[in-house]
PDB file of all heavy atoms in Angstrom:
ATOM      1  N   TYR A  36      -5.039   6.602  -5.152  1.00  0.00           N
ATOM      2  CA  TYR A  36      -3.771   6.807  -4.494  1.00  0.00           C
ATOM      3  C   TYR A  36      -3.057   5.467  -4.279  1.00  0.00           C
ATOM      4  O   TYR A  36      -3.699   4.450  -3.989  1.00  0.00           O
ATOM      5  CB  TYR A  36      -3.870   7.608  -3.182  1.00  0.00           C
ATOM      6  CG  TYR A  36      -4.917   7.113  -2.237  1.00  0.00           C
ATOM      7  CD1 TYR A  36      -4.720   6.181  -1.264  1.00  0.00           C
ATOM      8  CD2 TYR A  36      -6.231   7.704  -2.217  1.00  0.00           C
ATOM      9  CE1 TYR A  36      -5.605   5.785  -0.360  1.00  0.00           C
ATOM     10  CE2 TYR A  36      -7.172   7.304  -1.347  1.00  0.00           C
ATOM     11  CZ  TYR A  36      -6.884   6.338  -0.365  1.00  0.00           C
ATOM     12  OH  TYR A  36      -7.848   6.018   0.527  1.00  0.00           O
ATOM     13  N   ASN A 195       9.183  15.068  11.162  1.00  0.00           N
ATOM     14  CA  ASN A 195       8.706  14.396  10.004  1.00  0.00           C
ATOM     15  C   ASN A 195       7.893  15.318   9.126  1.00  0.00           C
ATOM     16  O   ASN A 195       6.713  15.531   9.413  1.00  0.00           O
ATOM     17  CB  ASN A 195       7.885  13.173  10.430  1.00  0.00           C
ATOM     18  CG  ASN A 195       7.484  12.283   9.340  1.00  0.00           C
ATOM     19  OD1 ASN A 195       8.102  12.251   8.249  1.00  0.00           O
ATOM     20  ND2 ASN A 195       6.378  11.514   9.521  1.00  0.00           N
ATOM     21  N   PHE A 239      -8.165  10.204  19.080  1.00  0.00           N
ATOM     22  CA  PHE A 239      -6.923  10.035  19.802  1.00  0.00           C
ATOM     23  C   PHE A 239      -6.623  11.102  20.870  1.00  0.00           C
ATOM     24  O   PHE A 239      -5.652  11.071  21.604  1.00  0.00           O
ATOM     25  CB  PHE A 239      -5.766   9.898  18.862  1.00  0.00           C
ATOM     26  CG  PHE A 239      -5.922   8.838  17.796  1.00  0.00           C
ATOM     27  CD1 PHE A 239      -6.220   9.186  16.509  1.00  0.00           C
ATOM     28  CD2 PHE A 239      -5.928   7.487  18.160  1.00  0.00           C
ATOM     29  CE1 PHE A 239      -6.395   8.212  15.538  1.00  0.00           C
ATOM     30  CE2 PHE A 239      -6.109   6.512  17.197  1.00  0.00           C
ATOM     31  CZ  PHE A 239      -6.366   6.870  15.918  1.00  0.00           C
TER      32      PHE A 239
END
Side-chain angles (χ1 to χ4, degrees):
Y36 49 89
N195 185 25
F239 305 109

